[in-house]
Amino acid sequence: ASCHDSPESGEPSVSSADLKGWSRRPLGKCARWYAGGTPRKSQAEYWGGSIPWISAKSLTEFYVRDSDRRVTELGAENGTRLVPEGPVIIVVRGMSLKSEFRIGITKRPVTFNQDLKALRAVEGVEPLFLAYAIKSRTDQILALVDEAGHGTGRLPTDLLESIELPFPPLPEQRRIAAALGALDDKIELNRQMNATLEEMAQAVFKSWFIDFDGHDDLVESALGMIPRGWEVRPLLDFAQLISGGTPKTSEPSFWGGPIKWASAKDVSQCPNRYLVDTERAITEAGLNGSSTKVIPKGSVVVVARGATCGRWCVFGDAIAMNQTCYALAARRPEHIEFIKHLVPSIIDHLVRQAHGSVFDTITTRTFKTAKVVIPPDESITRFSETVGPIERRILTAIHESGTLADLRDTLLPKLVASEIRIAEAEEEVEAVV
């Protein structure tokens, strides 16, 4: 029988015989399963509290600590589910299942909605090992996805429960979880450090260039309120506007090469301020045989059309892109850091100028007619000298986290399948953390 949330079912357990060596058991018997829900949104007293409410959209990190929405204690008791630190949370319904399987482990008490399931490990199963064991079956799990309507992906619970996972004795589960967890801990530490560094850089930009006379942006509307020596100039006097393109998808020789190629999806789902990797890549033939261009590192890229119009990121490498985005590259090297902060500060203004019959669209005219308040050159140069080292530390940490994630993803299936010894994995982990 499966382990579901019902008072009569009792707490399932793993037999002691299983712990004598490696064994295989279905996921349904490894954890107690909980369903989530959504408190009534018309009840204001349910929302705006301190308890994270996790959805498929907000489940973007392996360690689950927060969400874009929170509920009150009253909300947690009405229509959703509160789980403590420790359960594994997986997405079982949503558009994201078309391309990825989202999974995390709670690091504090959270609530969650009906598109997720929470799995609380039974006795004899290490929760973190369970999370990694499930994650190692990502390809198998994605193959089970069907459609729930309107293109929404759905994972049937009965098929998920039937997936067999390998389990070593509990002490070895903990060693494997600790080795892989050390990599994720370092990735999380880098993320937290970068969040602090980004706040520092943005605080410098705001205090130097925005907080004058109570004004809150650098667009043309600030005319008449600017400090002496500043001026209003067209945005494109300082930033070069670059469009993208898509090589023929029917031409195999155009795809799978060494050149990273970004789409609106890559930009809008970028987990960091800097985009350093993309879902697809093209060849030199694809670059030369289409209107796409390689965008300089440090350019700000904005989604110009569609449901994610206005989303942006900074290219942390030289990357090509498609026609759904525009890039703004600094015309002078000493202006790169200023442009990185200037463009995001006026995104809301650009989006307000967007138009379209179905989705908002930021056109070339939007950029060409945009005027911004520009400080003297010496201030821009001093700003670059101040925040440049901060930005380089951020980008270095992102690249380091990418390397750590690659090692984790290489070790994960081998450890879970007992293809390598845990001692070997521990040596590799110790060498990088």
Side-chain angles (χ1 to χ4, degrees):
S2 300
C3 313
H4 286 283
D5 180 36
S6 69
E8 295 79 18
S9 63
E11 187 73 22
S13 61
V14 180
S15 70
S16 58
D18 285 337
L19 299 180
K20 292 180 179 178
W22 282 76
S23 63
R24 300 179 68 85
R25 52 182 73 90
L27 180 54
K29 292 186 177 180
C30 300
R32 191 169 184 178
W33 293 52
Y34 296 88
T38 302
R40 192 175 299 166
K41 293 185 178 179
S42 60
Q43 297 293 121
E45 62 270 27
Y46 291 169
W47 297 93
S50 60
I51 304 169
W53 180 73
I54 312 299
S55 64
K57 175 186 173 184
S58 63
L59 183 58
T60 57
E61 303 288 345
F62 184 65
Y63 291 148
V64 182
R65 288 190 172 93
D66 209 349
S67 177
D68 58 336
R69 300 203 68 181
R70 298 186 182 94
V71 297
T72 62
E73 291 186 7
L74 187 61
E77 297 170 356
N78 288 275
T80 186
R81 172 85 59 184
L82 179 67
V83 293
E85 177 181 348
V88 178
I89 290 186
I90 60 175
V91 173
V92 295
R93 187 179 185 277
M95 297 295 291
S96 64
L97 281 172
K98 291 295 184 176
S99 58
E100 61 179 321
F101 173 59
R102 297 185 179 180
I103 180 172
I105 184 165
T106 60
K107 288 295 186 178
R108 59 173 289 185
V110 302
T111 59
F112 58 101
N113 77 0
Q114 62 276 9
D115 294 335
L116 285 69
K117 296 281 188 184
L119 283 64
R120 192 169 187 179
V122 300
E123 183 182 354
V125 174
E126 167 61 34
L128 186 56
F129 178 85
L130 176 63
Y132 285 126
I134 297 171
K135 187 178 176 69
S136 74
R137 291 290 190 267
T138 292
D139 290 344
Q140 182 183 355
I141 289 170
L142 287 176
L144 302 177
V145 175
D146 61 20
E147 284 200 7
H150 304 291
T152 301
R154 182 181 71 95
L155 276 171
T157 301
D158 58 335
L159 297 182
L160 270 177
E161 290 177 337
S162 67
I163 293 176
E164 287 198 340
L165 300 174
F167 282 87
L170 189 57
E172 190 162 358
Q173 289 181 41
R174 289 172 176 158
R175 284 184 69 185
I176 291 172
L180 296 172
L183 297 172
D184 275 316
D185 287 344
K186 178 59 175 172
I187 292 171
E188 174 65 11
L189 185 63
N190 282 346
R191 187 193 67 78
Q192 293 177 5
M193 180 188 72
N194 277 0
T196 300
L197 291 173
E198 286 176 9
E199 287 179 4
M200 290 170 56
Q202 290 167 12
V204 173
F205 179 79
K206 185 175 181 181
S207 64
W208 285 21
F209 303 129
I210 293 182
D211 282 342
F212 54 84
D213 293 336
H215 202 69
D216 62 358
D217 61 29
L218 290 177
V219 296
E220 185 182 11
S221 59
L223 186 62
M225 306 172 64
I226 63 176
R228 187 184 301 275
W230 294 38
E231 57 184 334
V232 175
R233 299 273 297 277
L235 171 64
L236 298 189
D237 278 4
F238 289 83
Q240 178 188 3
L241 184 65
I242 308 173
S243 58
T246 303
K248 281 186 180 178
T249 54
S250 60
E251 180 49 67
S253 66
F254 286 176
W255 297 91
I259 303 169
K260 298 171 186 177
W261 180 83
S263 65
K265 178 182 176 183
D266 291 306
V267 174
S268 62
Q269 295 184 0
C270 179
N272 308 291
R273 185 157 152 265
Y274 284 95
L275 182 69
V276 296
D277 204 3
T278 57
E279 188 175 15
R280 304 191 70 181
I282 61 174
T283 61
E284 285 284 347
L287 179 67
N288 297 329
S290 71
S291 59
T292 191
K293 307 171 187 69
V294 175
I295 309 302
K297 175 182 176 180
S299 301
V300 181
V301 178
V302 182
V303 178
R305 65 191 70 163
T308 57
C309 178
R311 299 280 181 86
W312 64 275
C313 71
V314 178
F315 275 5
D317 200 354
I319 301 174
M321 67 179 189
N322 75 4
Q323 64 276 11
T324 62
C325 303
Y326 283 110
L328 289 146
R331 293 190 179 275
R332 292 165 55 181
E334 62 268 31
H335 289 171
I336 289 176
E337 301 302 338
F338 182 71
I339 293 298
K340 284 181 188 177
H341 290 79
L342 169 67
V343 175
S345 77
I346 65 169
I347 288 293
D348 288 346
H349 172 79
L350 296 175
V351 172
R352 286 196 296 269
Q353 311 306 310
H355 62 276
S357 57
V358 179
F359 290 113
D360 286 339
T361 301
I362 302 174
T363 65
T364 55
R365 176 176 170 77
T366 307
F367 292 104
K368 288 177 179 178
T369 58
K371 291 186 178 181
V372 291
V373 182
I374 300 296
D377 257 1
E378 56 267 26
S379 296
I380 295 176
T381 300
R382 191 158 56 93
F383 174 75
S384 293
E385 293 171 349
T386 301
V387 304
I390 297 175
E391 297 290 340
R392 286 191 288 274
R393 285 180 63 190
I394 291 171
L395 194 51
T396 296
I398 290 172
H399 282 298
E400 180 186 56
S401 291
T403 300
L404 294 170
D406 287 343
L407 177 58
R408 178 202 61 205
D409 294 343
T410 299
L411 293 175
L412 174 56
K414 294 179 180 179
L415 281 170
V416 172
S418 192
E419 293 177 4
I420 62 172
R421 290 179 172 273
I422 180 58
E424 298 174 52
E426 287 171 335
E427 287 180 5
E428 290 195 50
V429 171
E430 288 173 5
V432 297
V433 300

